[in-house]
Amino acid sequence: MGLFDKLAGWLGLKKKEVHVLCLGLDNSGKTTIINKLKPSNAQTQDIVPTIGFSIEKFKTSSLSFTVFDMSGQGRYRNLWEHYYKEGQAIIFVIDSSDKLRMVVAKEELDTLLTHPDIKHRRIPILFFANKMDLRDAVSSVKVSQLLSLENIKDKPWHICASDALKGEGLQEGVDWLQDQIQAMKT
Amino acid sequence: MYTLLSGLYKYMFRRDEYCILILGLDNAGKTTFLEQTKTRFNRTYKGMSLSKITTTVGLNIGTIDVGKARLMFWDLGGQDELQSLWDKYYAESHGVIYVIDSTDEERLSDSKRAFEKVVTSEALEGVPILVLANKQDVETCLSIPDIKTAFSDCINKIGRRDCLTQACSALTGNGVNEGIEWMVKCVVRNIHRPPRQKDIT
């Protein structure tokens, strides 16, 4: 109901809603990350490969996030672009232990960044260099070099080392994203 | 006729875009400086609270309009490993702001080493550099003459370019306006690096 929503907004009861896209290759840990960000009673125990996409919601101290958790499998990646217009921020997840497919991730990132719906918008991008718990994982700085993130010059970005299984590093990244979104909206 | 009118329109509403890099060691106050600048030069910008700023790993950006110039700031992370990213931005930048933590006497030599690397880089030849001695609000900080002495052997490496050392406090905002105004003046008159031109839409 529009009226009640507005009233709640005026009273400060309702948090601002933002749409965020969660992208990345398959098996990089997107769903695990989103799952960890939800309140502990809403978390699921077993995580299976996402088919198509799923919509998840969670709240932080001042914003209410609606996350489009997209499937990373090759055949579903063409779905991503249909959601670019709606996204106010992007979370891009990378499997830091998968050096072989780092180039694939870079390719997908490049197509994402050159897409007309993304190219000229100044939306923040948060990178999670995930799976830091694995022994052969490379550091977040190395990941940023492998993906040549320095080529992103007109969008704020942030890379965060994370371990989605334990939930380490996630909050820090989301805090950054929240600050950026709030700064953007004013 | 159309060309004339569109030319006039472009002349009136064109803005020269300059890219400014903000460099310095970690915890020097680069992001705080950027936020302070944004709040001071954008009337509508509310900004994030300065106390909440954390370590930058990546890139923060900000744009401000000063007169006919539009400055775009790239604020990069200052940690050791992240310094390897700095040089990727040199070719496209019109000015550099180098932030020094005036309270951190121990790492002043590290800062000097990083500064030397910046000024000796060929890609940055002739680009104006603003050196900010930050955190001047702290009582025990080093003064401008102290810092100038510590950096004295860099002077001949600076070469032919505009360079200014300015005391500032990113937290309180002292010296921020002076620094930015100097920077604008220098990038505008630096003919070796013409601005990117952008129409205002």
Side-chain angles (χ1 to χ4, degrees):
Chain A
M1 299 291 277
L3 185 67
F4 283 110
D5 271 357
K6 264 202 182 132
L7 208 63
W10 285 334
L11 293 171
L13 294 172
K14 198 164 169 275
K15 294 177 179 178
K16 260 193 226 158
E17 264 192 51
V18 282
H19 296 261
V20 180
L21 302 179
C22 187
L23 309 173
L25 298 191
D26 48 304
N27 197 34
S28 57
K30 295 177 293 301
T31 311
T32 318
I33 286 179
I34 302 304
N35 188 43
K36 262 283 185 276
L37 290 170
K38 291 198 288 187
S40 52
N41 53 4
Q43 286 177 10
T44 52
Q45 289 309 314
D46 39 25
I47 283 153
V48 290
T50 311
I51 305 292
F53 71 99
S54 67
I55 296 177
E56 304 287 347
K57 283 182 187 190
F58 64 90
K59 285 188 172 113
T60 58
S61 53
S62 59
L63 291 172
S64 156
F65 283 89
T66 306
V67 183
F68 292 83
D69 178 15
M70 308 299 295
S71 169
Q73 293 175 38
R75 61 188 136 152
Y76 294 115
R77 280 181 213 150
N78 53 0
L79 284 177
W80 291 3
E81 59 179 0
H82 299 291
Y83 299 89
Y84 288 170
K85 265 207 187 86
E86 288 155 60
Q88 288 159 296
I90 292 173
I91 299 176
F92 198 93
V93 185
I94 304 128
D95 178 351
S96 331
S97 65
D98 191 355
K99 278 168 228 152
L100 261 179
R101 290 207 302 161
M102 206 61 92
V103 275
V104 187
K106 182 178 171 354
E107 235 163 64
E108 288 297 339
L109 179 67
D110 289 344
T111 36
L112 161 74
L113 292 171
T114 48
H115 192 274
D117 285 346
I118 297 287
K119 203 175 175 191
H120 297 293
R121 290 167 61 205
R122 189 166 287 180
I123 53 174
I125 308 177
L126 172 64
F127 293 91
F128 276 121
N130 199 20
K131 307 204 182 177
M132 274 300 156
D133 50 323
L134 296 185
R135 207 157 36 85
D136 50 350
V138 292
S139 75
S140 59
V141 176
K142 189 85 187 132
V143 171
S144 70
Q145 282 165 355
L146 287 170
L147 297 182
S148 21
L149 297 185
E150 70 273 0
N151 291 335
I152 310 174
K153 295 210 166 114
D154 55 350
K155 295 176 187 58
W157 59 269
H158 185 86
I159 187 161
C160 234
S162 70
D163 171 4
L165 287 177
K166 291 202 205 75
E168 284 163 13
L170 300 182
Q171 203 50 49
E172 188 200 334
V174 173
D175 286 346
W176 176 86
L177 196 64
Q178 184 182 318
D179 286 345
Q180 290 295 324
I181 291 170
Q182 278 176 329
M184 199 174 65
K185 286 208 143 182
T186 51
Chain B
M1 192 63 189
Y2 169 76
T3 330
L4 183 72
L5 282 177
S6 71
L8 185 72
Y9 176 83
K10 269 190 191 149
Y11 177 76
M12 284 173 65
F13 293 101
R14 190 193 64 198
R15 255 179 217 261
D16 295 339
E17 203 178 53
Y18 300 93
C19 304
I20 313 288
L21 268 179
I22 306 179
L23 304 175
L25 293 193
D26 48 306
N27 200 33
K30 296 180 292 299
T31 310
T32 316
F33 172 77
L34 175 67
E35 282 305 313
Q36 185 66 254
T37 315
K38 280 202 278 188
T39 23
R40 280 172 167 254
F41 285 88
N42 288 353
R43 238 166 269 146
T44 50
Y45 183 75
K46 267 186 263 155
M48 53 177 107
S49 67
L50 297 180
S51 53
K52 260 176 65 186
I53 289 169
T54 54
T55 336
T56 306
V57 195
L59 173 76
N60 292 317
I61 54 170
T63 35
I64 58 165
D65 293 334
V66 185
K68 257 198 112 180
R70 169 167 288 183
L71 299 190
M72 183 156 129
F73 292 101
W74 289 326
D75 163 33
L76 295 169
Q79 292 164 56
D80 284 337
E81 313 94 76
L82 295 169
Q83 289 177 16
S84 54
L85 290 178
W86 289 3
D87 46 359
K88 312 280 193 323
Y89 292 84
Y90 287 172
E92 283 170 65
S93 57
H94 297 89
V96 174
I97 297 177
Y98 192 83
V99 186
I100 299 169
D101 179 351
S102 320
T103 61
D104 194 354
E105 212 174 336
E106 282 169 32
R107 293 207 301 162
L108 204 59
S109 54
D110 291 343
S111 185
K112 200 191 93 187
R113 222 168 297 140
F115 180 72
E116 263 176 11
K117 248 187 223 162
V118 174
V119 286
T120 49
S121 143
E122 273 176 29
L124 277 179
E125 220 183 323
V127 167
I129 293 189
L130 171 66
V131 181
L132 285 180
N134 194 19
K135 308 201 185 173
Q136 292 288 326
D137 52 317
V138 181
E139 268 175 32
T140 53
C141 71
L142 298 167
S143 65
I144 289 284
D146 291 338
I147 287 170
K148 276 197 176 157
T149 340
F151 278 66
S152 56
D153 42 333
C154 292
I155 286 175
N156 43 14
K157 290 181 187 148
I158 288 172
R160 291 169 58 87
R161 69 171 92 215
D162 291 309
C163 188
L164 173 80
T165 316
Q166 162 90 35
C168 105
S169 163
L171 216 52
T172 59
N174 284 339
V176 170
N177 285 22
E178 291 89 331
I180 296 294
E181 274 152 27
W182 179 87
M183 195 38 122
V184 172
K185 204 180 72 198
C186 289
V187 288
V188 169
R189 76 163 176 227
N190 186 6
I191 44 166
H192 303 295
R193 296 244 167 158
R196 301 204 295 204
Q197 282 179 353
K198 221 173 193 179
D199 302 330
I200 296 176
T201 43

